[in-house]
Amino acid sequence: MDIIYNADLSTMNTFRMKVKAACLVHYYSIEELEEISRMEDLPRPFFHIGGGSNLLFTGDFKGTVLHSRIRFIQQFPSMDGMEVRVGAGVPWDEFCDWCAKRDLWGPENLSLIPGETGAAAVQNIGAYGREIGDIVSNVECYDMVGHRKVAFTHDECAYAYRESFFKNEGKGRYVVTAVTMILRSEYSPVIDYGNLKDRLVAKYGQFVVNENALTPEKVRRGIIETRNDKLPAVEQTGSAGSFFRNPYVPVEKYEEIVAMGYEKVPHFDNPDGSIKIPAAWLIDQCGWKGHVEGNAGVWGKQPLVLVNATGNAEPQEIKELEDRIVASVQEKFGITLVPEVEHV
């Protein structure tokens, strides 16, 4: 394992916040993680990160940041398709690329989401009509309290929109060490979300889409191009990806907004009768797209993304911008936006 005291975390979070941790530990095996859990001289509390892509460090961290470098990909035939077991430290997009090159369907819509596989399973990452929870079979963890290996079935993971057991009851106790997913070789693209199908038709032709001639690699390419058109590259502009969750509102609230003169409100009907309104649309209607305050800003192509506009933003600048956006959406639409990004 690698133990670093007074560690610079600026390269360990995609927002590029210039913060430090009392200690940073990279570990390479479950055995090392078990040893770490029993090391009384490491600063507490422990906080686990998986690439720092969904985080806003609000200041220096007084405890120990843990980071997995458990990296492997193992595949096994199964009754449902191909079962693939992935180490928590494998970069998520590397796994998406691995699958696409083998014509395995499942994670292609989640391509280019930054972070690592363990964190992806914790966050239940989602994009373009898919979530990782759709393909997860089980999640292996190390219990930092009980000092033992444990595994959780798909149902025990309690996946919901940007939620999981590991973000709630299991937070801080269970550290993901491996994720097993069920992938399929049968033709099974999901391309009806947003303008993805139109992009694929423009790129490959109507024939390809209509005649079931798409491949995971072609869908992945379409997803990557779509994301690159809308989102900043984190290696160039610091961000934490989508900053706010899309709100679910009652039908009455949706109708109220339509009555305000917004006849073409983008929305998605949910099985429970609620309606999802894109947070990006709400923020845009409040005039925030492309806005910059000091070193913090709102991305000009996607208002759901807050950015470290100059590379020198302080955590408080991002937080103040967040608060102002929340207040303006609340004032204009009566909807309270909730951050998707975890504040540490």
Side-chain angles (χ1 to χ4, degrees), residues 92 96 104-111 113 120 123-136 154 160-162 181-184 186-194 196 216 219 223 227 276:
W92 173 252
C96 293
L104 293 172
W105 294 96
E108 62 281 348
N109 286 38
L110 308 178
S111 292
I113 294 179
Q123 300 295 333
N124 191 23
I125 59 170
Y128 302 101
R130 297 300 300 265
E131 295 178 341
I132 191 175
D134 297 334
I135 59 175
V136 167
H154 173 272
Y161 173 62
R162 301 298 185 271
M181 289 163 274
I182 301 294
L183 309 179
R184 300 186 182 281
E186 308 90 56
Y187 191 77
S188 51
V190 176
I191 60 173
D192 291 327
Y193 191 92
L196 178 58
V219 175
I223 293 290
R227 291 183 67 88
K276 179 172 74 173

Side-chain angles (χ1 to χ4, degrees), residues 18-332:
K18 295 179 174 65
V19 296
K20 292 185 176 183
C23 185
L24 169 66
V25 181
H26 302 284
Y27 61 90
Y28 298 79
S29 68
I30 298 175
E31 290 71 27
E32 288 187 348
L33 181 57
E34 179 176 13
E35 183 180 350
I36 290 165
S37 72
R38 299 178 185 274
M39 294 174 67
E40 296 182 0
D41 57 337
L42 290 178
R44 264 46 172 193
F46 288 144
F47 181 72
H48 205 282
I49 63 173
S53 60
N54 198 49
L55 296 174
L56 172 61
F57 279 104
T58 57
D60 291 342
F61 187 68
K62 308 286 186 195
T64 298
V65 170
L66 303 179
H67 178 236
S68 173
R69 285 188 171 158
I70 300 175
R71 296 182 177 178
F72 61 82
I73 300 178
Q74 302 171 329
Q75 63 182 66
F76 313 92
S78 75
M79 293 291 291
D80 298 315
M82 181 65 69
E83 194 170 75
V84 182
R85 181 171 174 260
V86 187
V90 173
W92 173 252
D93 193 56
E94 286 187 16
F95 172 65
C96 293
D97 182 57
W98 183 93
C99 294
K101 287 177 177 175
R102 289 160 177 78
D103 286 329
L104 293 172
W105 294 96
E108 62 281 348
N109 286 38
L110 308 178
S111 292
L112 212 62
I113 294 179
E116 295 167 358
T117 300
V122 171
Q123 300 295 333
N124 191 23
I125 59 170
Y128 302 101
R130 297 300 300 265
E131 295 178 341
I132 191 175
D134 297 334
I135 59 175
V136 167
S137 173
N138 70 74
V139 176
E140 298 168 45
C141 297
Y142 182 74
D143 181 350
M144 299 288 282
V145 176
H147 302 290
R148 62 193 180 100
K149 300 175 187 178
V150 293
F152 296 88
T153 65
H154 173 272
D155 290 346
E156 290 171 333
C157 292
Y159 283 125
Y161 173 62
R162 301 298 185 271
E163 290 290 354
S164 74
F165 166 79
F166 310 106
K167 288 184 70 174
N168 296 291
E169 301 98 314
K171 185 176 181 178
R173 175 169 181 172
Y174 299 103
V175 174
V176 176
T177 56
V179 182
T180 298
M181 289 163 274
I182 301 294
L183 309 179
R184 300 186 182 281
S185 56
E186 308 90 56
Y187 191 77
S188 51
V190 176
I191 60 173
D192 291 327
Y193 191 92
N195 65 350
L196 178 58
K197 185 173 183 178
D198 293 339
R199 177 180 286 273
L200 292 172
V201 169
K203 187 174 179 64
Y204 299 113
Q206 188 75 45
F207 171 81
V208 172
V209 175
N210 287 347
E211 300 301 321
N212 295 347
L214 286 172
T215 65
E217 182 63 34
K218 287 178 178 178
V219 175
R220 170 172 159 78
R221 287 294 113 199
I223 293 290
I224 288 174
E225 289 179 7
T226 301
R227 291 183 67 88
N228 282 335
D229 283 349
K230 295 170 58 179
L231 303 173
V234 294
E235 60 273 13
Q236 298 173 4
T237 304
S239 82
S242 298
F243 198 92
F244 297 100
R245 301 185 184 199
N246 291 316
Y248 287 48
V249 303
V251 173
E252 294 77 14
K253 171 56 71 174
Y254 166 74
E255 293 174 343
E256 177 185 320
I257 294 174
V258 172
M260 292 168 62
Y262 298 102
E263 296 181 0
K264 296 184 178 180
V265 182
H267 64 283
F268 303 89
D269 297 330
N270 298 310
D272 64 0
S274 65
I275 294 179
K276 179 172 74 173
I277 298 178
W281 183 85
L282 296 168
I283 296 167
D284 192 16
Q285 298 310 305
C286 293
W288 288 103
K289 184 190 289 186
H291 181 83
V292 176
E293 292 183 1
N295 297 301
V298 179
W299 190 240
K301 296 180 179 180
Q302 170 51 278
L304 194 57
V305 178
L306 306 191
V307 296
N308 185 346
T310 66
N312 296 309
E314 298 288 337
Q316 190 57 32
E317 291 181 275
I318 302 294
K319 186 65 175 66
E320 289 174 358
L321 179 58
E322 171 197 341
D323 291 343
R324 290 190 61 193
I325 291 171
V326 170
S328 68
V329 171
Q330 174 65 42
E331 180 179 1
K332 190 176 186 70

